[in-house]
Amino acid sequence: MGKRVGMISLGCAKNQVNAEQMLYRLQQAGYTLQEDVDGADLVIVNTCGFIDSAKSEAIDNILAMGALKQEGRIGRLLVTGCLSQRYQDEILQEMPEVDGVLGTGSYDDIVSVADRLLNGGETVSEFGDIDAPADEAGRVLTTPQHYAYIKIAEGCNNFCAFCIIPHLRGRYRSRAVEDILQEARGLAESGVKELIVVAQDTSRYGTDLYGAPRLPLLLHELCRIEGFHWIRVHYLYPDMITDELLDTFASEPKLVNYMDIPIQHVNDAILRRMNRRGTRAELDEMLQKLRSRLPDAVIRTSLITGLPGEGEAEFEELCTWLRENKLERVGAFVFSPEDGTPAAKMEHADEEVAQRRAEIIAELQSRIMDAYNAARVGTVMEVLCEGEEPETGRCFGRTYADSPDIDGRVLFSAARSVVPGEFVMVRITGAEDGDLVGEMEENA
């Protein structure tokens, strides 16, 4: 039987790194990787199982692959990632089109599982230890060549009351500094210009392995690697944003002042119920320190509406806080009661109410974003070019304030050809549907 493999990877960047490691192992074992799943002997759906919307997306993709399989357009179907870890038995029982499931503790078994699926025709179910040391493997990059994610730890110890991740990904396990640096050097040599540092909680990096937080040290070391122009960090928990970490950002030019800080809510009673560390007062103090130390910092956060304990007063407190603090990037999600989490058993806001609250935050945030964009007009910003719009001929790219796929873009005209991965200086002239618009500086 042939050994052509196609993959659909869903969910977060951390999951994408696991997908890239699986593709590398398969390629090394002689499998042919193809971008389009059509005609593949094996299709892997690497799933997210975090909240209802992610589960629905995963199931839709599995069913779509099942339809292709029924038509004889693909061979075997393997489901990996968080959904398979969460619903180990149910997937095979309720979705007969699936030939195998692989858990989050078994990514390094991908080749043997693929071989068994293609050679034996059997149904495979493989679930290893989710608390095993973080996997060290090569990767086949699925991002554009100019940026890549690097995962510095696996799992999570935070056990927020609403989150199932520690049960799907295991305890927090940091990778060794040397292993991360070796991988990063390889990425730089392959042409990566922007390195995006990820983990469930990057700010806790090293606490398990070295007995103390080592993120500042790691970031200093990453900044010494030639080739990287930007280094971006995601998922810094508020209680771990120390003076040392802020000093690291302030002192390293390659570190972009983009702080991704998931806060979820600001009401103290809700934070306690959610098993979040810290209080609103501590959050305010941290933000004040951050703003004074890094005046050009762009802060991204995620919020949840409809959390257990959120009434009108608590929601209004959150809205007032957002109006006062004007965070530049805010995503609001409706609370999803997840089986197996403490919050699922708590009384929470009606889903329609929670949905409306998420819409109110989106409206409020769009005004904050409009003001942020308006303040950029007339300034010159460094932009990482990502491509060209064929219909308009304009180039598009991102500033330090924009992470791939989740934030905005800059659309700009250029008098010369600009290639993806090139950094150029752009004079901002306006905004269009939430994106910035500008003209490349000729002498840049």
Side-chain angles (χ1 to χ4, degrees):
M1 200 171 183
K3 295 180 74 169
R4 294 166 300 175
V5 62
M7 180 182 280
I8 296 169
S9 190
L10 308 169
C12 66
K14 301 175 287 292
N15 206 36
Q16 190 174 351
V17 171
N18 292 133
E20 293 173 346
Q21 291 171 333
M22 285 191 281
L23 289 173
Y24 175 82
R25 283 198 158 100
L26 289 165
Q27 188 179 62
Q28 293 295 106
Y31 281 78
T32 301
L33 310 183
Q34 56 181 59
E35 276 192 43
D36 187 3
V37 295
D38 211 344
D41 302 298
L42 172 67
V43 171
I44 301 167
V45 181
N46 189 37
T47 61
C48 175
F50 182 42
I51 53 176
D52 283 343
S53 57
K55 286 183 279 187
S56 298
E57 183 187 21
I59 290 164
D60 288 347
N61 275 275
I62 295 166
L63 293 175
M65 292 306 101
L68 288 183
K69 182 182 169 186
Q70 201 165 3
E71 292 169 25
R73 291 165 61 184
I74 66 171
R76 307 281 271 169
L77 178 56
L78 174 66
V79 178
T80 65
C82 288
L83 191 79
S84 62
Q85 185 67 37
R86 188 166 184 185
Y87 300 105
Q88 303 180 10
D89 302 324
E90 291 94 326
I91 291 175
L92 290 177
Q93 285 167 7
E94 296 175 23
M95 304 180 84
E97 52 271 89
V98 175
D99 299 298
V101 284
L102 184 75
T104 58
S106 296
Y107 290 121
D108 55 352
D109 295 325
I110 184 63
V111 173
S112 66
V113 167
D115 289 346
R116 283 159 62 195
L117 284 172
L118 292 183
N119 299 331
E122 60 183 306
T123 299
V124 177
S125 177
E126 195 80 34
F127 291 90
D129 180 9
I130 62 170
D131 291 318
D135 194 20
E136 293 300 328
R139 289 161 60 189
V140 172
L141 289 188
T142 57
T143 49
Q145 189 184 11
H146 53 270
Y147 75 85
Y149 298 97
I150 191 162
K151 185 153 62 166
I152 62 172
E154 184 58 89
C156 187
N157 287 358
N158 290 326
F159 288 96
C160 300
F162 55 83
C163 184
I164 196 73
I165 291 296
H167 304 286
L168 304 181
R169 291 282 178 169
R171 305 288 292 187
Y172 194 86
R173 289 103 69 208
S174 300
R175 295 174 61 196
V177 169
E178 300 76 25
D179 292 333
I180 296 168
L181 294 178
Q182 183 178 347
E183 183 182 3
R185 288 186 198 103
L187 292 171
E189 285 163 15
S190 74
V192 169
K193 302 283 199 308
E194 177 184 17
L195 186 72
I196 307 174
V197 178
V198 295
Q200 296 296 344
D201 177 357
T202 52
S203 43
R204 256 171 193 72
Y205 171 73
T207 49
D208 57 318
L209 199 57
Y210 304 111
R214 286 287 184 271
L215 183 62
L217 178 143
L218 176 65
L219 293 176
H220 282 303
E221 291 295 323
L222 288 171
C223 288
R224 292 170 62 184
I225 297 174
E226 281 187 40
F228 296 138
H229 188 76
W230 281 351
I231 296 177
R232 187 182 302 275
V233 185
H234 276 289
Y235 319 117
L236 296 160
Y237 275 61
D239 62 310
M240 295 291 284
I241 297 178
T242 60
D243 290 343
E244 184 189 11
L245 186 60
L246 293 177
D247 288 344
T248 303
F249 273 84
S251 65
E252 291 286 4
K254 287 184 183 180
L255 269 183
V256 296
N257 290 340
Y258 175 100
M259 315 290 278
D260 185 333
I261 308 169
I263 63 171
Q264 315 305 356
H265 214 282
V266 299
N267 175 266
D268 285 349
I270 291 179
L271 290 172
R272 279 195 302 275
R273 294 189 81 180
M274 292 297 96
N275 196 32
R276 303 282 292 183
R277 286 177 299 276
T279 62
R280 174 178 170 171
E282 289 166 339
L283 177 65
D284 288 343
E285 184 186 347
M286 180 276 292
L287 280 176
Q288 190 178 4
K289 195 181 290 185
L290 192 160
R291 291 292 197 197
S292 65
R293 193 79 181 85
L294 306 169
D296 65 339
V298 162
I299 299 174
R300 159 165 279 284
T301 198
S302 53
L303 305 171
I304 304 177
T305 58
L307 283 163
E310 186 186 67
E312 288 303 320
E314 288 79 10
F315 178 65
E316 186 49 48
E317 180 184 352
L318 178 61
C319 290
T320 302
W321 188 89
L322 285 171
R323 288 188 201 98
E324 289 170 357
N325 285 278
K326 296 182 172 54
L327 303 189
E328 291 80 6
R329 308 278 187 253
V330 174
F333 301 88
V334 172
F335 172 66
S336 178
E338 297 299 317
D339 291 340
T341 64
K345 303 186 187 80
M346 300 176 190
E347 190 177 340
H348 46 86
D350 175 81
E351 191 173 345
E352 281 185 27
V353 172
Q355 186 65 52
R356 179 64 193 133
R357 287 175 183 170
E359 289 164 7
I360 289 169
I361 286 177
E363 290 165 18
L364 187 162
Q365 188 58 28
S366 70
R367 292 193 290 274
I368 293 170
M369 277 296 302
D370 287 346
Y372 171 82
N373 285 342
R376 308 280 80 72
V377 174
T379 67
V380 176
M381 301 187 77
E382 185 176 46
V383 173
L384 171 57
C385 178
E386 302 220 280
E388 185 180 297
E389 286 187 323
E391 61 276 13
T392 64
R394 291 187 302 186
C395 297
F396 61 88
R398 295 181 286 109
T399 71
Y400 80 94
D402 307 297
S403 200
D405 301 326
I406 54 174
D407 296 318
R409 304 188 304 172
V410 180
L411 302 162
F412 63 96
S413 56
R416 64 169 177 83
S417 176
V418 184
V419 297
E422 186 178 348
F423 287 88
V424 295
M425 302 308 291
V426 174
R427 181 168 296 281
I428 306 301
T429 56
E432 188 179 292
D433 299 326
D435 289 329
L436 293 173
V437 178
E439 299 165 356
M440 190 178 114
E441 295 279 82
E442 295 304 321
N443 56 357

